[in-house]
Amino acid sequence: MTVGDRIYLTCYTGYALDAQAPGNMADLRRHLLCLDLRDGKIRWTKQFDPKLPEHIYAGEGSYHGYSSSTPTSDGERLFVFFGKSGVFCFDLDGNEIWHTSVGEGIDRWGSATSPVLFKNLLIINASVESAAIVALDKMTGKEVWRAPGVKSAWNTPILVETKPHGLELVVAVRDRILSFNPETGKELWNAEGIHRYVCPSLVAHDGIVYAIGGGHTSLAVRTGGRGDVTKTRELWRVNKGSNVPSPIYDDGRLYWASEKGALLHCQNAETGKFEYSHRLSPDPGLIYASPLLADGKLYYVSQHNGTYVVAAGPKFQLLAHNTFEGDSSRANASIAVVNGELLLRTDQALYCIANR
């Protein structure tokens, strides 16, 4: 995440650097870093002692670690979510303004959702920590509202403009898609969703939300309803989906990658029919990062096999496959774009890619 000429990111040290030999959980430390966008030099760092115990770094819990949530900012303050260790607010120089808990639950798959800013609220999907969405006053950290019943949801909620009702806050949970009034937390509507835990975030266009998940389902629902809208507002449902990466919408199409086997899918957003499903390469590896769309190109980041660049459009066209020589670290993060430059991080490094 960037603000002006600064890059803000989180990481962790001391524990869980190796799935085979994770070490002692008591040594786990989380960090917030501020780097200079111009040269990558570290301006300042903050270290956090975690609230323990955390989930054990093994099996499914070793896929992404302890700093999966992306920070966010209103341009004056910086907001960071560290799961059961809480939500933090800093000024842009790293001085703590407030810190609060949104629950102390843990899960073997860890915590992953990112904060969402809406007017004076900071909204947290605390599905793991307290099975709820929690809205905090961004200035004080005090709880404003709480919506319960948010279970098995590792996706960040999205704000959707809905005519004539204005904004809705929409999230996918196990079995249902839920919509809330972002001002009050009151549920507006619900619909049949993904019948499994849900990692991919929803995407929206022209009042329609698109959901994928579970490795076997994708669907579209029109917003703006009330109550159970499954029979009245579901537009289509297809038995194919992705378990981790989120989709992206462009010019009437949805693009997303199946994390296992790295099949790239292009789906007609109006009908749900697939325009293509194509393997990126003979051995692309796992893809957990969500795609980036920029300059008519789609960027897909593999965990261990570089970045694939594909032309946006109804036919599969691989434009490039790039890797960093000598870097075997894992890449789970999506690419960010700042002033025409690409920022890509792995578990061990941050890269700025630019045409200079």
Side-chain angles (χ1 to χ4, degrees):
M1 193 271 298
T2 64
V3 179
D5 63 354
R6 300 183 179 192
I7 303 168
Y8 297 97
L9 58 84
T10 59
C11 62
Y12 66 93
T13 60
Y15 172 69
L17 304 182
D18 183 343
Q20 304 305 315
N24 188 342
M25 186 182 292
D27 296 328
L28 174 65
R29 298 293 181 271
R30 289 189 175 96
H31 307 270
L32 172 64
L33 281 65
C34 175
L35 295 84
D36 194 305
L37 181 61
R38 295 165 296 184
D39 56 18
K41 292 183 179 178
I42 296 176
R43 289 191 175 188
W44 52 260
T45 65
K46 299 281 291 188
Q47 179 172 294
F48 304 84
D49 294 332
K51 186 172 289 186
L52 298 178
E54 265 286 2
H55 69 279
I56 296 173
Y57 192 73
E60 303 281 6
S62 67
Y63 285 175
H64 60 87
Y66 299 88
S67 60
S68 295
S69 177
T70 302
T72 192
S73 176
D74 61 2
E76 297 179 355
R77 288 161 291 271
L78 184 66
F79 304 97
V80 180
F81 179 40
F82 280 136
K84 70 175 290 185
S85 292
V87 183
F88 295 81
C89 175
F90 303 92
D91 66 21
L92 298 185
D93 293 319
N95 299 302
E96 185 175 314
I97 299 173
W98 54 259
H99 167 225
T100 192
S101 172
V102 290
E104 297 191 8
I106 59 174
D107 188 275
R108 62 188 177 123
W109 288 328
S111 180
T113 65
S114 300
V116 176
L117 281 165
F118 170 70
K119 295 184 178 179
N120 66 320
L121 299 178
L122 183 73
I123 300 172
I124 306 292
N125 178 359
S127 173
V128 168
E129 294 74 24
S130 58
I133 292 181
V134 182
L136 308 172
D137 185 308
K138 74 173 186 178
M139 302 300 292
T140 65
K142 293 183 178 179
E143 185 173 315
V144 177
W145 57 257
R146 177 179 291 257
V150 180
K151 298 181 179 180
S152 299
W154 277 265
N155 57 100
T156 299
I158 64 170
L159 291 163
V160 183
E161 183 66 41
T162 301
K163 297 178 181 180
H165 302 297
L167 284 174
E168 299 179 359
L169 182 76
V170 191
V171 67
V173 306
R174 181 186 290 271
D175 296 328
R176 310 300 291 177
I177 296 174
L178 306 178
S179 172
F180 301 93
N181 181 331
E183 302 266 9
T184 65
K186 178 183 178 181
E187 183 177 311
L188 301 175
W189 58 263
N190 67 86
E192 182 182 357
I194 309 296
H195 297 294
R196 201 179 180 192
Y197 62 86
V198 189
C199 296
S201 292
L202 303 166
V203 294
H205 177 75
D206 197 23
I208 298 172
V209 293
Y210 301 93
I212 63 174
H216 51 71
T217 305
S218 54
L219 61 101
V221 179
R222 185 174 297 280
T223 61
R226 294 294 183 266
D228 187 338
V229 301
T230 303
K231 294 182 179 180
T232 58
R233 289 184 173 259
E234 182 180 293
L235 302 178
W236 52 259
R237 176 180 292 262
V238 177
N239 292 327
K240 185 183 291 186
S242 181
N243 200 36
V244 178
S246 301
I248 197 165
Y249 177 95
D250 179 57
D251 194 24
R253 298 180 179 90
L254 296 172
Y255 300 93
W256 43 275
S258 299
E259 75 281 4
K260 294 182 179 179
L263 278 173
L264 177 61
H265 302 279
C266 174
Q267 192 174 18
N268 185 295
E270 183 177 355
T271 65
K273 293 182 179 180
F274 287 87
E275 298 187 355
Y276 68 74
S277 294
H278 199 288
R279 186 175 293 277
L280 282 168
S281 73
D283 185 22
L286 288 174
I287 292 182
Y288 272 19
S290 299
L292 164 73
L293 173 70
D295 192 29
K297 304 176 183 68
L298 295 154
Y299 296 77
Y300 294 87
V301 180
S302 169
Q303 280 193 344
H304 293 288
N305 201 28
T307 300
Y308 295 84
V309 186
V310 176
K315 295 183 179 181
F316 177 83
Q317 183 183 3
L318 180 64
L319 302 177
H321 176 211
N322 303 304
T323 60
F324 294 115
E325 186 176 356
D327 187 347
S328 60
S329 58
R330 179 177 55 183
N332 277 331
S334 299
I335 297 175
V337 179
V338 186
N339 300 325
E341 300 177 347
L342 304 181
L343 296 175
L344 171 62
R345 67 169 296 179
T346 71
D347 282 0
Q348 302 297 320
L350 174 65
Y351 294 90
C352 179
I353 305 166
N355 183 15
R356 291 181 177 175

